[in-house]
Amino acid sequence: MHFGLSDEQEMIVSTVRSFVENEIYPHEAMVERTGQVPFELGQEIKRKVIDLGFYACNFPEEVGGAGLSHLDFTLVERELGRGSMALTHFFGRPQNILMACAGDQRERYLLPAVRGEKMDALAMTEPDAGSDVRGMKCSARRDGGDWVINGSKHFISGAEHADFFIVFVATGVDETPKGPKKRITCFLVDRGTPGFEVRDGYASVSHRGYKNYVLYFDNCRLPDAQVLGEVDGGFAVMNTWLYATRLTVAAFCVGRARRCFDHALSYAAERKQFGQAIAKFQGVSFQIADMITEIDAADLLTLSGAWRLDQGFEANREIASAKLYASEMLARVTDATLQIHGGMGLMDDFPIERFWRDARVERIWDGTSEIQRHIISRDLFRPLGA
């Protein structure tokens, strides 16, 4: 058992951290103030990442990616977690689910996405289908040789930059002993397809500039060629490629927590009250000790989950544990960081209040904390027949 990073991994961490500090940090205040990422800035970040050789680094070399392992990519995501999501979005990590592309889909979607010529967005969530994916109402029906989609999706991130969308919809119902069970199919939908519209979503207090959108389908007609994977095989595609996104959230939370911790540590050492640095008071120093302990624990859980994937081991429970613990750890760390800064922590002069606001959504998206606990407990009880 070896817990150190290789020289190559140390280089990955150093390179991405330097990029975030030099290319992302300087623009964060502007994005936070305006809620926008200027088009030219987004393209500039993308170009620099391509030049750096890190664009689509989560894809294998055979399709033009950097071929990073799960562990290496988790290190990348951990460092990107330090920066604004609205800006690091352009670092370019297309959805791994595009590896399910077959035939002409590879030339139309997979390869352009890896080269940075097209951007994708994932569309799964609906107003009445968040944690309950099978509750989705957006559906597709057969009409001749085509599919006709009707319904809507919401909370779709990155939609304003997407050239195409990876959309999951219901394509039938099976009657089972436990009641009706919807069949799900995944479709590739180009922006501008007749009957498909992208509209502004909701204003959020978390991750300003990283907007969410609503997708509407009104008799949107698609041929069989737009099915990703197999008809009615959406869950198979989802389970093969998407469950590791929870690991990405965990890594983000660790990176953001370490940035918060750096602020808390420096402020506690410099801020003076009653004639001495507040770090001298156990009320502060013990918080610092608890923070770094929790951050390190979340880091180890996260990297362990990535390592298990690379070794081909079962990792579903371990990844759920990492997502659960890291996201809840970030909430505690950002709150403690704000408390250490006192009233100034809530002022725009520091980024602390932004970290505090941003942290809240991490316990919700990519599977709520409650869903993670369900996954963990189910995994433990299933072998016992309970």
Side-chain angles (χ1 to χ4, degrees):
M1 189 172 292
H2 179 60
F3 290 96
L5 300 183
S6 67
D7 290 344
E8 182 179 349
Q9 289 168 335
E10 292 284 7
M11 182 191 69
I12 289 173
V13 170
S14 174
T15 300
V16 179
R17 183 175 300 180
S18 176
F19 186 92
V20 172
E21 290 175 348
N22 292 303
E23 305 296 341
I24 302 298
Y25 284 6
H27 306 292
E28 289 183 336
M30 177 272 295
V31 172
E32 184 69 14
R33 184 178 65 255
T34 64
Q36 303 283 344
V37 177
F39 176 80
E40 297 77 10
L41 175 58
Q43 295 306 303
E44 180 185 357
I45 293 172
K46 182 196 289 188
R47 178 181 56 77
K48 289 180 177 179
V49 176
I50 292 173
D51 291 344
L52 201 61
F54 272 87
Y55 199 89
C57 60
N58 53 322
F59 278 75
E61 292 180 286
E62 67 197 54
V63 297
L68 296 188
S69 67
H70 288 289
L71 180 54
D72 293 345
F73 181 61
T74 299
L75 293 172
V76 171
E77 289 288 3
R78 189 182 71 182
E79 296 310 312
L80 292 177
R82 292 173 174 267
S84 160
M85 287 192 75
L87 294 163
T88 59
H89 174 71
F90 296 96
F91 200 88
R93 291 93 75 211
Q95 296 288 336
N96 279 1
I97 198 173
L98 290 174
M99 286 300 294
C101 285
D104 291 343
Q105 292 176 346
R106 291 172 64 86
E107 292 294 335
R108 292 182 59 198
Y109 300 105
L110 170 61
L111 299 181
V114 171
R115 292 192 295 261
E117 298 165 0
K118 289 184 177 181
M119 296 192 80
D120 61 286
L122 184 68
M124 191 178 302
T125 304
E126 298 179 13
D128 294 319
S131 298
D132 179 17
V133 177
R134 287 195 188 272
M136 65 176 59
K137 297 177 180 176
C138 186
S139 62
R141 60 176 175 82
R142 276 289 193 186
D143 184 38
D146 295 335
W147 293 92
V148 177
I149 302 179
N150 283 284
S152 65
K153 299 287 180 180
H154 77 163
F155 291 156
I156 309 306
S157 303
E160 74 270 42
H161 309 296
D163 299 286
F164 66 94
F165 297 76
I166 304 163
V167 185
F168 289 83
V169 301
T171 46
V173 179
D174 290 324
E175 294 298 331
T176 73
K178 295 183 178 180
K181 190 176 182 180
K182 288 184 179 178
R183 300 194 299 271
I184 306 297
T185 301
C186 183
F187 290 88
L188 296 166
V189 185
D190 292 308
R191 180 184 288 277
T193 299
F196 172 50
E197 184 181 1
V198 180
R199 300 181 190 172
D200 288 342
Y202 318 99
S204 173
V205 300
S206 293
H207 299 298
R208 287 177 180 163
Y210 187 66
K211 299 180 180 181
N212 67 85
Y213 288 78
V214 180
L215 311 185
Y216 289 94
F217 298 88
D218 182 12
N219 290 323
C220 176
R221 184 174 291 271
L222 298 174
D224 272 335
Q226 299 307 112
V227 173
L228 181 62
E230 300 293 332
V231 173
D232 298 333
F235 268 97
V237 174
M238 194 185 306
N239 292 333
T240 300
W241 298 107
L242 293 184
Y243 77 100
T245 59
R246 301 196 301 266
L247 202 58
T248 296
V249 176
F252 170 91
C253 291
V254 172
R256 181 56 62 90
R258 289 204 184 279
R259 184 177 177 187
C260 287
F261 177 79
D262 291 343
H263 280 278
L265 188 67
S266 297
Y267 192 80
E270 297 168 2
R271 171 70 168 165
K272 288 184 170 55
Q273 288 288 279
F274 304 101
Q276 60 183 338
I278 61 174
K280 295 288 186 180
F281 301 108
Q282 288 184 346
V284 172
S285 64
F286 282 14
Q287 286 190 78
I288 293 290
D290 287 342
M291 289 162 70
I292 195 60
T293 300
E294 289 204 66
I295 293 169
D296 286 346
D299 204 359
L300 288 171
L301 265 177
T302 302
L303 297 180
S304 173
W307 178 84
R308 290 184 67 85
L309 286 179
D310 286 331
Q311 303 306 311
F313 297 153
E314 286 293 327
N316 198 38
R317 174 174 63 82
E318 288 80 4
I319 290 174
S321 293
K323 199 275 183 183
L324 169 66
Y325 187 78
S327 62
E328 299 204 341
M329 171 278 296
L330 179 61
R332 292 188 290 270
V333 166
T334 53
D335 192 74
T337 299
L338 195 153
Q339 189 70 17
I340 288 169
H341 280 74
M344 288 305 296
L346 289 166
M347 302 299 116
D348 288 342
D349 302 70
F350 291 92
I352 310 306
E353 57 87 22
R354 167 162 58 92
F355 299 154
W356 181 59
R357 284 187 287 103
D358 289 352
R360 189 59 186 87
V361 74
E362 307 304 330
R363 288 177 277 166
I364 297 174
W365 57 17
D366 284 274
T368 64
S369 290
E370 291 72 26
I371 288 295
Q372 305 311 317
R373 289 185 171 96
H374 172 69
I375 292 169
I376 296 164
S377 59
R378 185 183 59 189
D379 190 85
L380 292 170
F381 283 118
R382 185 182 288 116
L384 304 177

